[in-house]
mmCIF file with all atom_site columns, all heavy atoms in Angstrom:
data_model
loop_
_atom_site.group_PDB
_atom_site.id
_atom_site.type_symbol
_atom_site.label_atom_id
_atom_site.label_alt_id
_atom_site.label_comp_id
_atom_site.label_asym_id
_atom_site.label_entity_id
_atom_site.label_seq_id
_atom_site.pdbx_PDB_ins_code
_atom_site.Cartn_x
_atom_site.Cartn_y
_atom_site.Cartn_z
_atom_site.occupancy
_atom_site.B_iso_or_equiv
_atom_site.pdbx_formal_charge
_atom_site.auth_seq_id
_atom_site.auth_comp_id
_atom_site.auth_asym_id
_atom_site.auth_atom_id
_atom_site.pdbx_PDB_model_num
ATOM 1   N N   . ALA A 1 1  ? 0.814  -1.236  0.020   1.00 0.00 ? 1  ALA A N   1
ATOM 2   C CA  . ALA A 1 1  ? -0.017 -0.011  0.006   1.00 0.00 ? 1  ALA A CA  1
ATOM 3   C C   . ALA A 1 1  ? 0.827  1.272   0.000   1.00 0.00 ? 1  ALA A C   1
ATOM 4   O O   . ALA A 1 1  ? 0.434  2.335   -0.540  1.00 0.00 ? 1  ALA A O   1
ATOM 5   C CB  . ALA A 1 1  ? -0.953 -0.017  1.205   1.00 0.00 ? 1  ALA A CB  1
ATOM 6   N N   . ASP A 1 2  ? 2.046  1.218   0.608   1.00 0.00 ? 2  ASP A N   1
ATOM 7   C CA  . ASP A 1 2  ? 2.841  2.443   0.734   1.00 0.00 ? 2  ASP A CA  1
ATOM 8   C C   . ASP A 1 2  ? 4.052  2.498   -0.129  1.00 0.00 ? 2  ASP A C   1
ATOM 9   O O   . ASP A 1 2  ? 4.934  3.364   0.057   1.00 0.00 ? 2  ASP A O   1
ATOM 10  C CB  . ASP A 1 2  ? 3.257  2.659   2.205   1.00 0.00 ? 2  ASP A CB  1
ATOM 11  C CG  . ASP A 1 2  ? 4.109  1.469   2.702   1.00 0.00 ? 2  ASP A CG  1
ATOM 12  O OD1 . ASP A 1 2  ? 4.097  0.416   2.057   1.00 0.00 ? 2  ASP A OD1 1
ATOM 13  O OD2 . ASP A 1 2  ? 4.758  1.638   3.745   1.00 0.00 ? 2  ASP A OD2 1
ATOM 14  N N   . VAL A 1 3  ? 4.221  1.551   -1.083  1.00 0.00 ? 3  VAL A N   1
ATOM 15  C CA  . VAL A 1 3  ? 5.429  1.591   -1.948  1.00 0.00 ? 3  VAL A CA  1
ATOM 16  C C   . VAL A 1 3  ? 5.150  2.515   -3.158  1.00 0.00 ? 3  VAL A C   1
ATOM 17  O O   . VAL A 1 3  ? 3.991  2.767   -3.530  1.00 0.00 ? 3  VAL A O   1
ATOM 18  C CB  . VAL A 1 3  ? 5.817  0.185   -2.427  1.00 0.00 ? 3  VAL A CB  1
ATOM 19  C CG1 . VAL A 1 3  ? 6.128  -0.715  -1.265  1.00 0.00 ? 3  VAL A CG1 1
ATOM 20  C CG2 . VAL A 1 3  ? 4.730  -0.416  -3.320  1.00 0.00 ? 3  VAL A CG2 1
ATOM 21  N N   . ASP A 1 4  ? 6.240  3.006   -3.704  1.00 0.00 ? 4  ASP A N   1
ATOM 22  C CA  . ASP A 1 4  ? 6.111  3.860   -4.910  1.00 0.00 ? 4  ASP A CA  1
ATOM 23  C C   . ASP A 1 4  ? 6.074  3.076   -6.180  1.00 0.00 ? 4  ASP A C   1
ATOM 24  O O   . ASP A 1 4  ? 5.486  3.513   -7.177  1.00 0.00 ? 4  ASP A O   1
ATOM 25  C CB  . ASP A 1 4  ? 7.307  4.815   -4.959  1.00 0.00 ? 4  ASP A CB  1
ATOM 26  C CG  . ASP A 1 4  ? 7.390  5.777   -3.751  1.00 0.00 ? 4  ASP A CG  1
ATOM 27  O OD1 . ASP A 1 4  ? 6.332  6.281   -3.365  1.00 0.00 ? 4  ASP A OD1 1
ATOM 28  O OD2 . ASP A 1 4  ? 8.492  5.904   -3.226  1.00 0.00 ? 4  ASP A OD2 1
ATOM 29  N N   . SER A 1 5  ? 6.749  1.891   -6.205  1.00 0.00 ? 5  SER A N   1
ATOM 30  C CA  . SER A 1 5  ? 6.878  1.192   -7.438  1.00 0.00 ? 5  SER A CA  1
ATOM 31  C C   . SER A 1 5  ? 6.982  -0.315  -7.152  1.00 0.00 ? 5  SER A C   1
ATOM 32  O O   . SER A 1 5  ? 7.466  -0.730  -6.093  1.00 0.00 ? 5  SER A O   1
ATOM 33  C CB  . SER A 1 5  ? 8.161  1.635   -8.166  1.00 0.00 ? 5  SER A CB  1
ATOM 34  O OG  . SER A 1 5  ? 8.164  1.249   -9.508  1.00 0.00 ? 5  SER A OG  1
ATOM 35  N N   . VAL A 1 6  ? 6.483  -1.124  -8.095  1.00 0.00 ? 6  VAL A N   1
ATOM 36  C CA  . VAL A 1 6  ? 6.473  -2.554  -7.937  1.00 0.00 ? 6  VAL A CA  1
ATOM 37  C C   . VAL A 1 6  ? 7.087  -3.201  -9.169  1.00 0.00 ? 6  VAL A C   1
ATOM 38  O O   . VAL A 1 6  ? 6.709  -2.911  -10.322 1.00 0.00 ? 6  VAL A O   1
ATOM 39  C CB  . VAL A 1 6  ? 5.024  -3.126  -7.751  1.00 0.00 ? 6  VAL A CB  1
ATOM 40  C CG1 . VAL A 1 6  ? 5.069  -4.638  -7.657  1.00 0.00 ? 6  VAL A CG1 1
ATOM 41  C CG2 . VAL A 1 6  ? 4.379  -2.509  -6.506  1.00 0.00 ? 6  VAL A CG2 1
ATOM 42  N N   . ALA A 1 7  ? 8.100  -4.104  -8.918  1.00 0.00 ? 7  ALA A N   1
ATOM 43  C CA  . ALA A 1 7  ? 8.679  -4.905  -9.992  1.00 0.00 ? 7  ALA A CA  1
ATOM 44  C C   . ALA A 1 7  ? 8.099  -6.292  -9.916  1.00 0.00 ? 7  ALA A C   1
ATOM 45  O O   . ALA A 1 7  ? 7.991  -6.874  -8.832  1.00 0.00 ? 7  ALA A O   1
ATOM 46  C CB  . ALA A 1 7  ? 10.182 -4.969  -9.845  1.00 0.00 ? 7  ALA A CB  1
ATOM 47  N N   . VAL A 1 8  ? 7.741  -6.831  -11.096 1.00 0.00 ? 8  VAL A N   1
ATOM 48  C CA  . VAL A 1 8  ? 7.192  -8.247  -11.128 1.00 0.00 ? 8  VAL A CA  1
ATOM 49  C C   . VAL A 1 8  ? 8.072  -9.039  -12.042 1.00 0.00 ? 8  VAL A C   1
ATOM 50  O O   . VAL A 1 8  ? 8.253  -8.686  -13.223 1.00 0.00 ? 8  VAL A O   1
ATOM 51  C CB  . VAL A 1 8  ? 5.714  -8.212  -11.673 1.00 0.00 ? 8  VAL A CB  1
ATOM 52  C CG1 . VAL A 1 8  ? 5.158  -9.641  -11.652 1.00 0.00 ? 8  VAL A CG1 1
ATOM 53  C CG2 . VAL A 1 8  ? 4.861  -7.286  -10.847 1.00 0.00 ? 8  VAL A CG2 1
ATOM 54  N N   . SER A 1 9  ? 8.715  -10.073 -11.472 1.00 0.00 ? 9  SER A N   1
ATOM 55  C CA  . SER A 1 9  ? 9.606  -10.925 -12.257 1.00 0.00 ? 9  SER A CA  1
ATOM 56  C C   . SER A 1 9  ? 9.323  -12.352 -11.881 1.00 0.00 ? 9  SER A C   1
ATOM 57  O O   . SER A 1 9  ? 9.763  -12.859 -10.853 1.00 0.00 ? 9  SER A O   1
ATOM 58  C CB  . SER A 1 9  ? 11.082 -10.551 -11.930 1.00 0.00 ? 9  SER A CB  1
ATOM 59  O OG  . SER A 1 9  ? 11.973 -11.317 -12.729 1.00 0.00 ? 9  SER A OG  1
ATOM 60  N N   . LEU A 1 10 ? 8.615  -13.059 -12.769 1.00 0.00 ? 10 LEU A N   1
ATOM 61  C CA  . LEU A 1 10 ? 8.255  -14.468 -12.534 1.00 0.00 ? 10 LEU A CA  1
ATOM 62  C C   . LEU A 1 10 ? 9.063  -15.352 -13.467 1.00 0.00 ? 10 LEU A C   1
ATOM 63  O O   . LEU A 1 10 ? 9.425  -14.955 -14.554 1.00 0.00 ? 10 LEU A O   1
ATOM 64  C CB  . LEU A 1 10 ? 6.774  -14.663 -12.780 1.00 0.00 ? 10 LEU A CB  1
ATOM 65  C CG  . LEU A 1 10 ? 5.788  -13.766 -11.949 1.00 0.00 ? 10 LEU A CG  1
ATOM 66  C CD1 . LEU A 1 10 ? 4.359  -14.124 -12.303 1.00 0.00 ? 10 LEU A CD1 1
ATOM 67  C CD2 . LEU A 1 10 ? 6.056  -13.894 -10.464 1.00 0.00 ? 10 LEU A CD2 1
ATOM 68  N N   . LEU A 1 11 ? 9.265  -16.576 -13.033 1.00 0.00 ? 11 LEU A N   1
ATOM 69  C CA  . LEU A 1 11 ? 10.111 -17.495 -13.734 1.00 0.00 ? 11 LEU A CA  1
ATOM 70  C C   . LEU A 1 11 ? 9.541  -17.845 -15.109 1.00 0.00 ? 11 LEU A C   1
ATOM 71  O O   . LEU A 1 11 ? 8.362  -18.069 -15.296 1.00 0.00 ? 11 LEU A O   1
ATOM 72  C CB  . LEU A 1 11 ? 10.219 -18.798 -12.900 1.00 0.00 ? 11 LEU A CB  1
ATOM 73  C CG  . LEU A 1 11 ? 11.348 -19.779 -13.302 1.00 0.00 ? 11 LEU A CG  1
ATOM 74  C CD1 . LEU A 1 11 ? 12.688 -19.087 -13.034 1.00 0.00 ? 11 LEU A CD1 1
ATOM 75  C CD2 . LEU A 1 11 ? 11.224 -21.056 -12.504 1.00 0.00 ? 11 LEU A CD2 1
ATOM 76  N N   . TYR A 1 12 ? 10.421 -17.743 -16.146 1.00 0.00 ? 12 TYR A N   1
ATOM 77  C CA  . TYR A 1 12 ? 10.099 -18.053 -17.516 1.00 0.00 ? 12 TYR A CA  1
ATOM 78  C C   . TYR A 1 12 ? 8.971  -17.170 -18.120 1.00 0.00 ? 12 TYR A C   1
ATOM 79  O O   . TYR A 1 12 ? 8.286  -17.570 -19.060 1.00 0.00 ? 12 TYR A O   1
ATOM 80  C CB  . TYR A 1 12 ? 9.717  -19.518 -17.698 1.00 0.00 ? 12 TYR A CB  1
ATOM 81  C CG  . TYR A 1 12 ? 10.870 -20.434 -17.394 1.00 0.00 ? 12 TYR A CG  1
ATOM 82  C CD1 . TYR A 1 12 ? 10.769 -21.385 -16.336 1.00 0.00 ? 12 TYR A CD1 1
ATOM 83  C CD2 . TYR A 1 12 ? 12.041 -20.411 -18.159 1.00 0.00 ? 12 TYR A CD2 1
ATOM 84  C CE1 . TYR A 1 12 ? 11.848 -22.225 -16.059 1.00 0.00 ? 12 TYR A CE1 1
ATOM 85  C CE2 . TYR A 1 12 ? 13.086 -21.237 -17.856 1.00 0.00 ? 12 TYR A CE2 1
ATOM 86  C CZ  . TYR A 1 12 ? 12.980 -22.150 -16.843 1.00 0.00 ? 12 TYR A CZ  1
ATOM 87  O OH  . TYR A 1 12 ? 14.057 -22.991 -16.530 1.00 0.00 ? 12 TYR A OH  1
ATOM 88  N N   . SER A 1 13 ? 8.804  -15.966 -17.575 1.00 0.00 ? 13 SER A N   1
ATOM 89  C CA  . SER A 1 13 ? 7.746  -15.122 -18.143 1.00 0.00 ? 13 SER A CA  1
ATOM 90  C C   . SER A 1 13 ? 8.085  -14.631 -19.521 1.00 0.00 ? 13 SER A C   1
ATOM 91  O O   . SER A 1 13 ? 7.224  -14.129 -20.245 1.00 0.00 ? 13 SER A O   1
ATOM 92  C CB  . SER A 1 13 ? 7.551  -13.910 -17.209 1.00 0.00 ? 13 SER A CB  1
ATOM 93  O OG  . SER A 1 13 ? 8.725  -13.144 -17.074 1.00 0.00 ? 13 SER A OG  1
ATOM 94  N N   . PHE A 1 14 ? 9.349  -14.774 -19.938 1.00 0.00 ? 14 PHE A N   1
ATOM 95  C CA  . PHE A 1 14 ? 9.695  -14.362 -21.318 1.00 0.00 ? 14 PHE A CA  1
ATOM 96  C C   . PHE A 1 14 ? 9.100  -15.293 -22.333 1.00 0.00 ? 14 PHE A C   1
ATOM 97  O O   . PHE A 1 14 ? 8.942  -14.950 -23.511 1.00 0.00 ? 14 PHE A O   1
ATOM 98  C CB  . PHE A 1 14 ? 11.216 -14.265 -21.500 1.00 0.00 ? 14 PHE A CB  1
ATOM 99  C CG  . PHE A 1 14 ? 11.978 -15.460 -21.049 1.00 0.00 ? 14 PHE A CG  1
ATOM 100 C CD1 . PHE A 1 14 ? 12.092 -16.605 -21.851 1.00 0.00 ? 14 PHE A CD1 1
ATOM 101 C CD2 . PHE A 1 14 ? 12.606 -15.496 -19.806 1.00 0.00 ? 14 PHE A CD2 1
ATOM 102 C CE1 . PHE A 1 14 ? 12.839 -17.722 -21.435 1.00 0.00 ? 14 PHE A CE1 1
ATOM 103 C CE2 . PHE A 1 14 ? 13.300 -16.589 -19.382 1.00 0.00 ? 14 PHE A CE2 1
ATOM 104 C CZ  . PHE A 1 14 ? 13.426 -17.701 -20.181 1.00 0.00 ? 14 PHE A CZ  1
ATOM 105 N N   . GLU A 1 15 ? 8.702  -16.513 -21.931 1.00 0.00 ? 15 GLU A N   1
ATOM 106 C CA  . GLU A 1 15 ? 8.019  -17.452 -22.812 1.00 0.00 ? 15 GLU A CA  1
ATOM 107 C C   . GLU A 1 15 ? 6.492  -17.269 -22.755 1.00 0.00 ? 15 GLU A C   1
ATOM 108 O O   . GLU A 1 15 ? 5.773  -17.613 -23.698 1.00 0.00 ? 15 GLU A O   1
ATOM 109 C CB  . GLU A 1 15 ? 8.379  -18.898 -22.453 1.00 0.00 ? 15 GLU A CB  1
ATOM 110 C CG  . GLU A 1 15 ? 9.801  -19.307 -22.870 1.00 0.00 ? 15 GLU A CG  1
ATOM 111 C CD  . GLU A 1 15 ? 9.858  -19.715 -24.331 1.00 0.00 ? 15 GLU A CD  1
ATOM 112 O OE1 . GLU A 1 15 ? 8.856  -19.583 -25.056 1.00 0.00 ? 15 GLU A OE1 1
ATOM 113 O OE2 . GLU A 1 15 ? 10.959 -20.177 -24.788 1.00 0.00 ? 15 GLU A OE2 1
ATOM 114 N N   . ASN A 1 16 ? 6.001  -16.752 -21.622 1.00 0.00 ? 16 ASN A N   1
ATOM 115 C CA  . ASN A 1 16 ? 4.553  -16.611 -21.455 1.00 0.00 ? 16 ASN A CA  1
ATOM 116 C C   . ASN A 1 16 ? 4.338  -15.551 -20.364 1.00 0.00 ? 16 ASN A C   1
ATOM 117 O O   . ASN A 1 16 ? 4.659  -15.745 -19.179 1.00 0.00 ? 16 ASN A O   1
ATOM 118 C CB  . ASN A 1 16 ? 3.918  -17.945 -20.988 1.00 0.00 ? 16 ASN A CB  1
ATOM 119 C CG  . ASN A 1 16 ? 2.452  -17.871 -20.806 1.00 0.00 ? 16 ASN A CG  1
ATOM 120 O OD1 . ASN A 1 16 ? 1.838  -16.804 -20.836 1.00 0.00 ? 16 ASN A OD1 1
ATOM 121 N ND2 . ASN A 1 16 ? 1.820  -19.000 -20.545 1.00 0.00 ? 16 ASN A ND2 1
ATOM 122 N N   . ASP A 1 17 ? 3.813  -14.415 -20.752 1.00 0.00 ? 17 ASP A N   1
ATOM 123 C CA  . ASP A 1 17 ? 3.712  -13.276 -19.793 1.00 0.00 ? 17 ASP A CA  1
ATOM 124 C C   . ASP A 1 17 ? 2.361  -13.228 -19.084 1.00 0.00 ? 17 ASP A C   1
ATOM 125 O O   . ASP A 1 17 ? 2.057  -12.262 -18.398 1.00 0.00 ? 17 ASP A O   1
ATOM 126 C CB  . ASP A 1 17 ? 3.948  -11.977 -20.505 1.00 0.00 ? 17 ASP A CB  1
ATOM 127 C CG  . ASP A 1 17 ? 2.902  -11.631 -21.561 1.00 0.00 ? 17 ASP A CG  1
ATOM 128 O OD1 . ASP A 1 17 ? 2.027  -12.469 -21.825 1.00 0.00 ? 17 ASP A OD1 1
ATOM 129 O OD2 . ASP A 1 17 ? 2.919  -10.493 -22.080 1.00 0.00 ? 17 ASP A OD2 1
ATOM 130 N N   . ALA A 1 18 ? 1.507  -14.234 -19.268 1.00 0.00 ? 18 ALA A N   1
ATOM 131 C CA  . ALA A 1 18 ? 0.134  -14.205 -18.737 1.00 0.00 ? 18 ALA A CA  1
ATOM 132 C C   . ALA A 1 18 ? 0.136  -14.026 -17.211 1.00 0.00 ? 18 ALA A C   1
ATOM 133 O O   . ALA A 1 18 ? -0.676 -13.221 -16.689 1.00 0.00 ? 18 ALA A O   1
ATOM 134 C CB  . ALA A 1 18 ? -0.634 -15.447 -19.130 1.00 0.00 ? 18 ALA A CB  1
ATOM 135 N N   . HIS A 1 19 ? 0.979  -14.743 -16.507 1.00 0.00 ? 19 HIS A N   1
ATOM 136 C CA  . HIS A 1 19 ? 0.952  -14.657 -15.048 1.00 0.00 ? 19 HIS A CA  1
ATOM 137 C C   . HIS A 1 19 ? 1.430  -13.251 -14.567 1.00 0.00 ? 19 HIS A C   1
ATOM 138 O O   . HIS A 1 19 ? 0.822  -12.699 -13.619 1.00 0.00 ? 19 HIS A O   1
ATOM 139 C CB  . HIS A 1 19 ? 1.874  -15.713 -14.446 1.00 0.00 ? 19 HIS A CB  1
ATOM 140 C CG  . HIS A 1 19 ? 1.237  -17.065 -14.408 1.00 0.00 ? 19 HIS A CG  1
ATOM 141 N ND1 . HIS A 1 19 ? 1.857  -18.161 -13.855 1.00 0.00 ? 19 HIS A ND1 1
ATOM 142 C CD2 . HIS A 1 19 ? 0.035  -17.494 -14.908 1.00 0.00 ? 19 HIS A CD2 1
ATOM 143 C CE1 . HIS A 1 19 ? 1.077  -19.225 -13.980 1.00 0.00 ? 19 HIS A CE1 1
ATOM 144 N NE2 . HIS A 1 19 ? -0.007 -18.862 -14.647 1.00 0.00 ? 19 HIS A NE2 1
ATOM 145 N N   . GLU A 1 20 ? 2.425  -12.660 -15.207 1.00 0.00 ? 20 GLU A N   1
ATOM 146 C CA  . GLU A 1 20 ? 2.859  -11.324 -14.790 1.00 0.00 ? 20 GLU A CA  1
ATOM 147 C C   . GLU A 1 20 ? 1.783  -10.310 -15.057 1.00 0.00 ? 20 GLU A C   1
ATOM 148 O O   . GLU A 1 20 ? 1.522  -9.449  -14.173 1.00 0.00 ? 20 GLU A O   1
ATOM 149 C CB  . GLU A 1 20 ? 4.151  -10.935 -15.583 1.00 0.00 ? 20 GLU A CB  1
ATOM 150 C CG  . GLU A 1 20 ? 5.415  -11.640 -15.057 1.00 0.00 ? 20 GLU A CG  1
ATOM 151 C CD  . GLU A 1 20 ? 6.692  -11.012 -15.513 1.00 0.00 ? 20 GLU A CD  1
ATOM 152 O OE1 . GLU A 1 20 ? 6.627  -10.121 -16.406 1.00 0.00 ? 20 GLU A OE1 1
ATOM 153 O OE2 . GLU A 1 20 ? 7.748  -11.414 -15.033 1.00 0.00 ? 20 GLU A OE2 1
ATOM 154 N N   . ARG A 1 21 ? 1.118  -10.388 -16.175 1.00 0.00 ? 21 ARG A N   1
ATOM 155 C CA  . ARG A 1 21 ? 0.063  -9.396  -16.476 1.00 0.00 ? 21 ARG A CA  1
ATOM 156 C C   . ARG A 1 21 ? -1.072 -9.563  -15.467 1.00 0.00 ? 21 ARG A C   1
ATOM 157 O O   . ARG A 1 21 ? -1.661 -8.567  -15.018 1.00 0.00 ? 21 ARG A O   1
ATOM 158 C CB  . ARG A 1 21 ? -0.458 -9.599  -17.896 1.00 0.00 ? 21 ARG A CB  1
ATOM 159 C CG  . ARG A 1 21 ? 0.534  -9.120  -18.959 1.00 0.00 ? 21 ARG A CG  1
ATOM 160 C CD  . ARG A 1 21 ? -0.036 -9.141  -20.371 1.00 0.00 ? 21 ARG A CD  1
ATOM 161 N NE  . ARG A 1 21 ? -0.207 -10.490 -20.891 1.00 0.00 ? 21 ARG A NE  1
ATOM 162 C CZ  . ARG A 1 21 ? -1.353 -11.126 -20.989 1.00 0.00 ? 21 ARG A CZ  1
ATOM 163 N NH1 . ARG A 1 21 ? -2.492 -10.545 -20.603 1.00 0.00 ? 21 ARG A NH1 1
ATOM 164 N NH2 . ARG A 1 21 ? -1.385 -12.374 -21.508 1.00 0.00 ? 21 ARG A NH2 1
ATOM 165 N N   . ARG A 1 22 ? -1.369 -10.810 -15.102 1.00 0.00 ? 22 ARG A N   1
ATOM 166 C CA  . ARG A 1 22 ? -2.442 -11.060 -14.117 1.00 0.00 ? 22 ARG A CA  1
ATOM 167 C C   . ARG A 1 22 ? -2.096 -10.537 -12.757 1.00 0.00 ? 22 ARG A C   1
ATOM 168 O O   . ARG A 1 22 ? -2.959 -9.979  -12.028 1.00 0.00 ? 22 ARG A O   1
ATOM 169 C CB  . ARG A 1 22 ? -2.754 -12.534 -14.054 1.00 0.00 ? 22 ARG A CB  1
ATOM 170 C CG  . ARG A 1 22 ? -3.928 -12.908 -13.191 1.00 0.00 ? 22 ARG A CG  1
ATOM 171 C CD  . ARG A 1 22 ? -5.224 -12.199 -13.655 1.00 0.00 ? 22 ARG A CD  1
ATOM 172 N NE  . ARG A 1 22 ? -6.374 -12.582 -12.828 1.00 0.00 ? 22 ARG A NE  1
ATOM 173 C CZ  . ARG A 1 22 ? -7.451 -11.853 -12.712 1.00 0.00 ? 22 ARG A CZ  1
ATOM 174 N NH1 . ARG A 1 22 ? -7.587 -10.720 -13.375 1.00 0.00 ? 22 ARG A NH1 1
ATOM 175 N NH2 . ARG A 1 22 ? -8.472 -12.272 -11.954 1.00 0.00 ? 22 ARG A NH2 1
ATOM 176 N N   . VAL A 1 23 ? -0.856 -10.651 -12.333 1.00 0.00 ? 23 VAL A N   1
ATOM 177 C CA  . VAL A 1 23 ? -0.402 -10.129 -11.051 1.00 0.00 ? 23 VAL A CA  1
ATOM 178 C C   . VAL A 1 23 ? -0.680 -8.586  -10.982 1.00 0.00 ? 23 VAL A C   1
ATOM 179 O O   . VAL A 1 23 ? -1.202 -8.055  -10.007 1.00 0.00 ? 23 VAL A O   1
ATOM 180 C CB  . VAL A 1 23 ? 1.097  -10.424 -10.778 1.00 0.00 ? 23 VAL A CB  1
ATOM 181 C CG1 . VAL A 1 23 ? 1.605  -9.605  -9.625  1.00 0.00 ? 23 VAL A CG1 1
ATOM 182 C CG2 . VAL A 1 23 ? 1.288  -11.888 -10.525 1.00 0.00 ? 23 VAL A CG2 1
ATOM 183 N N   . LYS A 1 24 ? -0.266 -7.927  -12.073 1.00 0.00 ? 24 LYS A N   1
ATOM 184 C CA  . LYS A 1 24 ? -0.522 -6.465  -12.117 1.00 0.00 ? 24 LYS A CA  1
ATOM 185 C C   . LYS A 1 24 ? -2.011 -6.141  -12.055 1.00 0.00 ? 24 LYS A C   1
ATOM 186 O O   . LYS A 1 24 ? -2.424 -5.236  -11.293 1.00 0.00 ? 24 LYS A O   1
ATOM 187 C CB  . LYS A 1 24 ? 0.092  -5.904  -13.417 1.00 0.00 ? 24 LYS A CB  1
ATOM 188 C CG  . LYS A 1 24 ? -0.094 -4.410  -13.635 1.00 0.00 ? 24 LYS A CG  1
ATOM 189 C CD  . LYS A 1 24 ? 0.651  -3.990  -14.893 1.00 0.00 ? 24 LYS A CD  1
ATOM 190 C CE  . LYS A 1 24 ? 0.540  -2.479  -15.134 1.00 0.00 ? 24 LYS A CE  1
ATOM 191 N NZ  . LYS A 1 24 ? -0.811 -2.087  -15.595 1.00 0.00 ? 24 LYS A NZ  1
ATOM 192 N N   . GLU A 1 25 ? -2.811 -6.869  -12.823 1.00 0.00 ? 25 GLU A N   1
ATOM 193 C CA  . GLU A 1 25 ? -4.254 -6.634  -12.797 1.00 0.00 ? 25 GLU A CA  1
ATOM 194 C C   . GLU A 1 25 ? -4.840 -6.796  -11.415 1.00 0.00 ? 25 GLU A C   1
ATOM 195 O O   . GLU A 1 25 ? -5.653 -5.986  -10.937 1.00 0.00 ? 25 GLU A O   1
ATOM 196 C CB  . GLU A 1 25 ? -4.967 -7.559  -13.791 1.00 0.00 ? 25 GLU A CB  1
ATOM 197 C CG  . GLU A 1 25 ? -4.650 -7.298  -15.239 1.00 0.00 ? 25 GLU A CG  1
ATOM 198 C CD  . GLU A 1 25 ? -5.181 -8.391  -16.167 1.00 0.00 ? 25 GLU A CD  1
ATOM 199 O OE1 . GLU A 1 25 ? -5.796 -9.366  -15.631 1.00 0.00 ? 25 GLU A OE1 1
ATOM 200 O OE2 . GLU A 1 25 ? -4.973 -8.332  -17.385 1.00 0.00 ? 25 GLU A OE2 1
ATOM 201 N N   . LEU A 1 26 ? -4.475 -7.887  -10.716 1.00 0.00 ? 26 LEU A N   1
ATOM 202 C CA  . LEU A 1 26 ? -5.026 -8.189  -9.403  1.00 0.00 ? 26 LEU A CA  1
ATOM 203 C C   . LEU A 1 26 ? -4.631 -7.127  -8.378  1.00 0.00 ? 26 LEU A C   1
ATOM 204 O O   . LEU A 1 26 ? -5.437 -6.691  -7.555  1.00 0.00 ? 26 LEU A O   1
ATOM 205 C CB  . LEU A 1 26 ? -4.545 -9.556  -8.945  1.00 0.00 ? 26 LEU A CB  1
ATOM 206 C CG  . LEU A 1 26 ? -5.123 -10.755 -9.706  1.00 0.00 ? 26 LEU A CG  1
ATOM 207 C CD1 . LEU A 1 26 ? -4.410 -12.048 -9.328  1.00 0.00 ? 26 LEU A CD1 1
ATOM 208 C CD2 . LEU A 1 26 ? -6.638 -10.899 -9.401  1.00 0.00 ? 26 LEU A CD2 1
ATOM 209 N N   . LEU A 1 27 ? -3.361 -6.715  -8.407  1.00 0.00 ? 27 LEU A N   1
ATOM 210 C CA  . LEU A 1 27 ? -2.916 -5.720  -7.461  1.00 0.00 ? 27 LEU A CA  1
ATOM 211 C C   . LEU A 1 27 ? -3.551 -4.351  -7.710  1.00 0.00 ? 27 LEU A C   1
ATOM 212 O O   . LEU A 1 27 ? -3.936 -3.672  -6.729  1.00 0.00 ? 27 LEU A O   1
ATOM 213 C CB  . LEU A 1 27 ? -1.381 -5.601  -7.491  1.00 0.00 ? 27 LEU A CB  1
ATOM 214 C CG  . LEU A 1 27 ? -0.599 -6.815  -6.978  1.00 0.00 ? 27 LEU A CG  1
ATOM 215 C CD1 . LEU A 1 27 ? 0.900  -6.604  -7.191  1.00 0.00 ? 27 LEU A CD1 1
ATOM 216 C CD2 . LEU A 1 27 ? -0.905 -7.031  -5.504  1.00 0.00 ? 27 LEU A CD2 1
#
């Protein structure tokens, strides 16, 4: 809640970015 920026780096996301995009949407 109090951070300025969030980095999302999930394993093998360069082959499939669906999980990273979903993390951003949920947050």
Side-chain angles (χ1 to χ4, degrees):
D2 61 342
V3 300
D4 299 316
S5 197
V6 177
V8 183
S9 182
L10 304 182
L11 197 64
Y12 296 118
S13 61
F14 51 82
E15 286 278 5
N16 180 352
D17 66 352
H19 282 184
E20 284 195 352
R21 288 187 288 105
R22 185 58 178 158
V23 168
K24 179 175 182 288
E25 292 171 0
L26 291 169
L27 292 176

